[in-house]
Amino acid sequence: MKAIISGAGIAGLSAALFLRRKGWDIEVIEKAPGLRAAGYVVDFFGSGYDAAERAGLLPALAAKKVPVTRISYVNQDDTERSVLDYGQFAASLDGRLMGLARGDIERVLYDAVADHISIHYGTSISTIDNRDDGVSVRLENGETLSGDLLIGADGIHSRVRELVFGPEENFIRFLGYHTAAFVIDDAELNRELDGVFRILSVPDRQVGIYDAGEAGLTVFFAHKAASEARPADKAAALRKTYGDLGWHLPALLDAADRCDDIYYDTISQIEMDRWHDKRCVLIGDAAYAVSLLAGQGASLAMGGAYILGEQVGDGDVERGLAQFEAQMMEDVKAKQAAGRKTANWFVPPTGFHNMVRDLFLNVTRLPMFSFLMNRFFAPSTKSLIH
Ligand SMILES: Cc1cc2nc3c(=O)[nH]c(=O)nc-3n(C[C@H](O)[C@H](O)[C@H](O)COP(=O)(O)OP(=O)(O)OC[C@H]3O[C@@H](n4cnc5c(N)ncnc54)[C@H](O)[C@@H]3O)c2cc1C
């Protein structure tokens, strides 16, 4: 059996790994010229953690784990307003949580599978012939590939989804925010941060900085936005939105001007009633982006790839794709709904909302109220792998 996978992100490389272990041949098509380090530090837990454990990847991931102990919400003068105790968050997940730079997860997957598959970098699919008994694709570089299954793991703006299921606007739900992230090298700022993950929180805007060790200093931004159009000049858009703020913003915005790999996107979800058609299936953000607000896109990308591998691995593709959808669809929709509800928590719209979050975080750090933290996170952190 042979799978063609569009996208070598976390979903695509995970699918390659899990299907290769079932004996499939794999060809991956990735539009970027190579692996990319860009991205933020993700909370890796739930389905992704379980999938990584079954693939034997936990030691390699643990070696890249960033030592977050606390997330400190601060004012513009750097005074602390509240703290999320990362150890307590981990305890609410029975310790099955790692803070990992997105690019490091991709790197660990790549190292595990790259020698056993073929990856075509720097190209993309231009046409798809999707049949009941197989699939063929033509690449922009002129090559043609054929296989038993095409997996669209090409992210929220998926080309495969567009070609097989229709235009993006039929499936995307804009949640009213933009986000950006990049990695910088700034030894002086690193020293100042002293290992603490700091988040500046002002109404409708958040900026986080964290020293992710070898992965560099990761910076992320999230802010309310009226339009779903993505700006052509990302650094200029960040300066326009955050240029009036103090704290570390002047240095961070200068760093953005110098950075040539800024991740910038709308905060959106992808909602579909089915993820497969004949011999084509979507996974990860391409199928079910839950958004930054739900905070588990990377985990669900790897978890979904594992479930797909388990379901279609034996070669009964038609039955397996139906089972894959049945196993995941309902839980994914619940996670998306939960994510939408946390918008005011994630980027508080007013000073009052900010205060309420501060109060919640500070109170739940007290042992007698720690159960509230479990209750808050438990429904959305449940794994889909049983
Ligand atoms: C460089 C990078 C940085 C990111 N940083 C953040 C961040 O800071 N915050 C955040 O919330 N999310 C970020 N994300 C998204 C996050 O990684 C995903 O939400 C999550 O990991 C799910 O992964 P995925 O593999 O489904 O999708 P993605 O991580 O989006 O991976 C999709 C892959 O497909 C490739 N691709 C896209 N179009 C095509 C095409 N036409 N043909 C072939 N390949 C294609 C992409 O280059 C990418 O490698 C980032 C993604 C990338 C690629």
Side-chain angles (χ1 to χ4, degrees):
M1 300 293 286
K2 177 172 157 188
I4 301 164
I5 301 175
S6 175
I10 294 171
L13 290 175
S14 301
L17 177 69
F18 291 120
L19 283 172
R20 183 71 204 121
R21 289 180 170 213
K22 300 277 180 191
W24 286 49
D25 292 327
I26 310 287
E27 295 217 52
V28 179
I29 303 141
E30 165 59 53
K31 85 171 173 194
L35 278 187
R36 284 186 298 169
Y40 55 151
V41 172
V42 303
D43 299 321
F44 193 69
F45 56 86
S47 313
Y49 196 102
D50 290 351
E53 183 172 49
R54 293 186 189 196
L57 292 182
L58 287 185
L61 289 171
K64 305 264 182 197
K65 184 171 146 180
V66 296
V68 190
T69 51
R70 52 198 253 131
I71 299 177
S72 170
Y73 289 88
V74 299
N75 297 302
Q76 288 196 63
D77 62 3
D78 213 31
T79 50
E80 193 167 80
R81 29 184 325 145
S82 56
V83 171
L84 172 65
D85 183 330
Y86 209 70
Q88 194 187 352
F89 178 31
S92 76
L93 296 164
D94 298 325
R96 297 173 68 80
L97 166 75
M98 286 189 225
L100 289 165
R102 192 211 66 89
D104 280 344
I105 305 178
E106 201 170 289
R107 161 59 67 185
V108 165
L109 286 163
Y110 177 88
D111 289 346
V113 76
D115 286 347
H116 313 286
I117 63 175
S118 136
I119 308 185
H120 307 250
Y121 278 111
T123 189
S124 178
I125 293 176
S126 56
T127 59
I128 299 171
D129 175 21
N130 185 21
R131 306 175 306 275
D132 287 324
D133 61 346
V135 62
S136 303
V137 300
R138 197 174 168 74
L139 306 188
E140 277 167 1
N141 66 11
E143 273 182 85
T144 304
L145 308 176
S146 295
D148 300 288
L149 180 62
L150 169 64
I151 301 174
D154 42 5
I156 195 163
H157 306 294
S158 168
R159 176 98 175 111
V160 172
R161 189 182 61 232
E162 186 189 16
L163 291 171
V164 176
F165 297 88
E168 180 170 306
E169 62 260 31
N170 293 353
F171 308 109
I172 198 157
R173 182 203 281 243
F174 174 52
L175 299 181
Y177 301 86
H178 286 190
T179 183
F182 55 88
V183 180
I184 58 174
D185 186 11
D186 185 331
E188 199 181 315
L189 187 52
N190 265 5
R191 266 193 303 279
E192 256 182 69
L193 292 175
D194 199 21
V196 177
F197 194 147
R198 281 183 173 71
I199 298 182
L200 171 68
S201 185
V202 296
D204 286 338
R205 292 176 289 176
Q206 300 261 29
V207 185
I209 28 180
Y210 181 67
D211 169 16
E214 271 176 38
L217 193 69
T218 59
V219 189
F220 86 85
F221 299 80
H223 58 270
K224 191 125 188 109
S227 160
E228 35 188 315
R230 284 173 286 156
D233 185 338
K234 302 165 186 173
L238 289 176
R239 191 170 287 281
K240 193 165 164 220
T241 310
Y242 296 91
D244 62 318
L245 296 178
W247 195 54
H248 297 293
L249 264 305
L252 297 179
L253 295 173
D254 286 349
D257 286 339
R258 294 189 300 272
C259 179
D260 57 7
D261 195 10
I262 300 178
Y263 169 83
Y264 192 114
D265 212 333
T266 65
I267 298 189
S268 304
Q269 295 182 331
I270 293 295
E271 293 175 299
M272 304 181 76
D273 292 331
R274 61 192 316 241
W275 300 322
H276 81 280
D277 179 61
K278 296 179 194 161
R279 290 301 182 107
C280 172
V281 64
L282 304 174
I283 60 167
D285 278 5
Y288 47 76
V290 290
S291 88
L292 192 59
L293 300 182
Q296 49 192 305
S299 302
L300 279 177
M302 199 187 287
Y306 171 79
I307 293 171
L308 179 70
E310 287 301 294
Q311 295 295 356
V312 304
D314 65 2
D316 186 348
V317 174
E318 200 180 328
R319 185 205 53 81
L321 293 182
Q323 288 287 110
F324 162 69
E325 261 179 34
Q327 187 171 341
M328 292 194 60
M329 186 69 81
E330 200 181 313
D331 283 339
V332 160
K333 289 205 185 293
K335 284 178 191 296
Q336 289 182 320
R340 290 194 294 274
K341 281 200 201 135
T342 59
N344 284 353
W345 159 277
F346 193 75
V347 186
T350 64
F352 174 73
H353 286 85
N354 241 331
M355 260 172 47
V356 171
R357 182 179 63 186
D358 291 339
L359 189 67
F360 177 83
L361 290 174
N362 288 332
V363 164
T364 53
R365 287 175 70 206
L366 302 171
M368 70 180 112
F369 292 116
S370 60
F371 70 94
L372 288 171
M373 169 86 84
N374 296 7
R375 208 173 276 176
F376 183 75
F377 286 116
S380 60
T381 51
K382 186 182 129 203
S383 173
L384 273 51
I385 296 173
H386 313 293

